[in-house]
Amino acid sequence: MPEKKTKTPREVLRAYFDEQEVEREVLRAWKELDTTIEGVTLRMADDLARLKGGAK
C-alpha cells in the first residue's frame, strides 16, 4: 500500500475554506492571514539566501 501523504495544516485549512461556505468575515480574515504568513515566509527565505550568499 502506498504511503499516505499528510497534508500540512495550511493545506487542510485552505481546502476547508475552499469547500465550505463560511461567513464572509471569516474567509476575509483567513485570506489576509494566509497572505501575511506567506509573505513573511518568502521574505525570510530571501533574507536567509542573502545571508548565505546565494542571492544579491
Side-chain angles (χ1 to χ4, degrees), residues 20-35:
Q20 301 299 316
E21 193 165 320
V22 296
E23 294 290 326
R24 249 191 184 138
E25 190 67 13
V26 173
L27 185 57
R28 184 202 58 77
W30 159 248
K31 286 182 179 181
E32 185 177 317
L33 181 61
D34 187 44
T35 301

Side-chain angles (χ1 to χ4, degrees), residues 1 5 10 16 21 24 35-38 42 45-46 55:
M1 212 179 343
K5 181 185 175 222
R10 184 173 180 224
Y16 176 82
E21 193 165 320
R24 249 191 184 138
T35 301
T36 302
I37 292 170
E38 189 171 41
L42 291 172
D46 184 54

Side-chain angles (χ1 to χ4, degrees), residues 4-15:
K4 187 176 179 182
K5 181 185 175 222
T6 303
K7 292 183 179 179
T8 65
R10 184 173 180 224
E11 290 171 323
V12 172
L13 287 171
R14 195 173 259 181

